[in-house]
Each structure stands twice: as structure tokens, then as C-alpha cells.
Amino acid sequence: MNLYIKLFALSISLVLTHVVTVHAAQSYGYNMSLFASLSSAQSAAIGGESNLFITEGGGIRKFPLPSTSGKIITTNVSNPSAVATDVANVYVVDSNNRILLLTPSSNETYVQTVIATNETAATTNFTYSPNALYSANIGTIKGIAIDTNHNIYLSDSTKHVIWKLTPPASTTGKYTLTLFAGVNGTSGAPITGTTTKFNTPYGITFDPWGNLYVADLNNRVIQKIAISTTGAITNISVVAGQSGQYSGNNDGQAATSACLYLPKAVVFDQTGSFYISNAYIDVVQYVSAATGTIKVIAGGKSPSNNATSYNGIATGANFLGIGSLALDAKGNLYVTELNNNAVRKLTPTWHP
């Protein structure tokens, strides 16, 4: 009996932390014989629960997890800034704000087409879908997310809005672009209700129940857009951060009382808890669905120089230029590290 009591006491005293390692890199101090070589790693997404897609300087790289060996699936992309997936397809935004659809073909290859652009006509070197949308409304896209009906949501950091790109209803139809949230061309503080404003919206993602979340960079908050089963907005609210606040302590506070500095990306687990990449102080923060509190789970260690990253447990690690986030089915979190052209992996670990 005493043994069982001791084992139970040990189990309830275990603490969840995250061990930070390198998954892929091309930079300072990393042993490049161990990792796939990346160039300007920007954005990350998980597809089919077992593949990690990373945007880099001139292409998209696919990692069949848990492998650290990635394969380039397209090179005909101009500095892609955002990536998302549905069950089979990959969606990419390039630096010219073309929205690209990559459809799997034979032998691990993908067919790439432009489905939306702010160009007035097709240009050489790219294949355009006959259903493609040409719209000057599309500004600088920094985030992309796909709902269960294959509608595409785009965060536009210069227009300060979220666009909704709807697939054509027929083979001869066109993609259509509608304003989903925000005021086109006008930045502003968040507003609770069914309308709001953004100030440089960045990463966007859906929670398990189909609500859209926006990392509102210069408002320094995460905004939640509650969406009905018909696709209508039912409410918009701030779920983390305080608008305009850029200093203060965070750990242990209610997420809505915390300071997020510059939230760049957000991603959800299946419990409704979420992770935030905080670009200004280079940390990953975690908001618990059970308690509503926020804490730093990785980053924060001061580097000895500006060209060094450290691995380690939780806040014993550091990042240089934290970027996008992606979460796999096993709870591993992948973080793009812009200044080191790297992807870091946060593995959940229980310890006393």
C-alpha cells in the first residue's frame, strides 16, 4: 500500500514542460549533417496529421514526421510567406500575394496553380487556374487558414482585414473574395460584437469547433471570431492580451490581462488550449482552456551573442526571430526561427 501511495504522490507532482530541439536548420552553430538545409524558413503547417510543410526562400519543403529529412515539393514560388493545408491539398501565399493551390499527384509530386491574385492578368512562369480570381483588393497576405468547407481565409496586414476566398460553385465558376472581418484600409482597436478592427493581422487559425482566431500583431492581442454552422459571425472578442499594452508581467495571469507584445502566430490543440508566438521577446506562450491563464513555455534565455540559439528545457532555451507555429497529433509544436533559418521542435515532457 505504501508503494502505491508513493507512486500516486509522484504522479500528481509531475510537471509538464517542453524540451526544445532543432528539427531543421541552415544557420549558426547547428550540425548541418543532421538536418535538412533550409533557406529563410517563414511559415509552418501540419497536413494529414503526419506531414510538416515549411515555406522557405524559393519553395515548400515537406517533412514526413518524425523525419528531419524534408523534400522540396515545389520551387516555383516567390518567397512564400504563409502555408495551410486541408485533408490533401497545400495552400501557399507568395511574396507577390498570389494564392497557390498545390494538389498531390503521382510519386510525391504536386500540381501547382494560382487560384487568386492581385495581378490584372496571368504572368509567365506560373500556371493559373481557369477559375482564378484577379482582384486588386488583395493586399499583403500574412496568414492563411482553411475551413472544413474548403473556404480560404486570408489575413491582410496592409488592408487590416480578413478576407474569405470561396471556391467556385461549378467547374466554370470563379473563386470569389468577400470581406469577412475588419474595416478595409482602416486599422483600429478591437471591438466586441459582430464587427471589429485589426491593426496588422498576422497568423490565423481555427479551433476544433470552427472558430477563427487572429494574431492581431500591432493591437497586441488574439481576437476570436465565433462562427455559426452557416458561416456567419456570431461574436468577436479578445481572448488574450490587452489592446495597445506592451509591457508587464504575464505568467499566471488571466490571458486577457496579459501583455503579448507582438503576437505573430496562434495554434490550437484538441482541448481548446492554444499557443502563441510572441515575436518581440521571442517566446512561446500557452493559454490553458481549463484555467484561462497564460504562461511562457519556451524561450526567454538570453543568448551570449546575437548569432546563437540554445536548445534545452522550457525557458532554458531561446529563439532568434520567432515566427510561425504548427502542432502535430502527438502534441509536438514546431516553431519557425526566422533569423536562423531553422525549425525548432518543442516536445512535451513530464518530469518531477
Side-chain angles (χ1 to χ4, degrees):
M1 180 64 70
N2 288 339
L3 175 61
Y4 288 112
I5 293 174
K6 289 179 180 179
L7 289 174
F8 177 73
L10 176 62
S11 68
I12 62 174
S13 65
L14 293 179
V15 177
L16 176 63
T17 61
H18 289 75
V19 177
V20 181
T21 56
V22 177
H23 189 78
Q26 178 181 307
S27 194
Y28 315 96
Y30 295 136
N31 184 346
M32 290 314 304
S33 66
L34 300 178
F35 311 114
S37 176
L38 296 180
S39 172
S40 186
Q42 291 281 338
S43 185
I46 297 291
E49 297 187 352
S50 59
N51 294 308
L52 172 66
F53 295 89
I54 300 293
T55 66
E56 53 179 294
I60 309 297
R61 193 181 296 267
K62 175 182 176 182
F63 294 84
L65 297 174
S67 173
T68 58
S69 177
K71 178 183 178 181
I72 293 289
I73 61 172
T74 179
T75 57
N76 188 23
V77 185
S78 175
N79 295 313
S81 59
V83 61
T85 64
D86 57 20
V87 175
N89 304 304
V90 181
Y91 301 80
V92 180
V93 181
D94 73 7
S95 61
N96 291 312
N97 299 301
R98 300 183 188 95
I99 316 303
L100 309 174
L101 171 63
L102 277 62
T103 305
S105 185
S106 59
N107 299 320
E108 290 291 312
T109 61
Y110 286 75
V111 176
Q112 175 179 303
T113 54
V114 177
I115 59 174
T117 178
N118 58 11
E119 301 164 305
T120 57
T123 57
T124 57
N125 302 323
F126 287 91
T127 300
Y128 289 73
S129 167
N131 312 109
L133 168 77
Y134 300 83
S135 173
N137 282 327
I138 299 174
T140 303
I141 306 302
K142 292 297 185 181
I144 182 170
I146 317 299
D147 71 14
T148 55
N149 293 317
H150 307 288
N151 297 302
I152 304 162
Y153 296 78
L154 307 167
S155 62
D156 191 327
S157 66
T158 53
K159 301 291 183 70
H160 307 289
V161 297
I162 307 299
W163 299 109
K164 181 179 180 180
L165 184 64
T166 305
S170 68
T171 56
T172 59
K174 300 290 185 180
Y175 282 86
T176 56
L177 188 75
T178 54
L179 178 62
F180 185 69
V183 179
N184 190 8
T186 302
S187 64
I191 304 169
T192 300
T194 55
T195 61
T196 192
K197 289 183 179 180
F198 303 102
N199 190 348
T200 320
Y202 242 75
I204 55 177
T205 192
F206 284 98
D207 69 13
W209 301 278
N211 302 303
L212 186 67
Y213 290 72
V214 181
D216 192 353
L217 188 76
N218 287 327
N219 273 330
R220 308 176 196 277
V221 299
I222 305 297
Q223 294 202 53
K224 173 186 177 180
I225 304 175
I227 303 173
S228 71
T229 55
T230 62
I233 295 175
T234 60
N235 189 54
I236 303 175
S237 60
V238 170
V239 294
Q242 297 183 75
S243 180
Q245 293 296 316
Y246 55 88
S247 64
N249 187 32
N250 289 328
D251 275 14
Q253 291 190 48
T256 51
S257 299
C259 171
L260 296 189
Y261 296 89
L262 292 175
K264 206 166 190 179
V266 58
V267 67
F268 272 79
D269 66 19
Q270 290 303 307
T271 71
S273 299
F274 57 95
Y275 302 83
I276 303 166
S277 67
N278 193 322
Y280 183 77
I281 54 176
D282 279 340
V283 299
V284 178
Q285 292 166 290
Y286 171 79
V287 177
S288 167
T291 65
T293 56
I294 191 170
K295 67 176 181 179
V296 173
I297 62 165
K301 177 181 174 64
S302 297
S304 59
N305 60 70
N306 290 332
T308 303
S309 282
Y310 294 99
N311 293 319
I313 296 177
T315 53
N318 82 296
F319 302 94
L320 293 174
I322 198 168
S324 179
L325 302 174
L327 189 70
D328 71 17
K330 295 182 179 180
N332 299 305
L333 186 68
Y334 299 87
V335 183
T336 60
E337 189 182 19
L338 307 181
N339 293 356
N340 269 340
N341 298 329
V343 177
R344 310 283 288 284
K345 179 180 179 182
L346 279 61
T347 304
T349 305
W350 291 92
H351 70 89

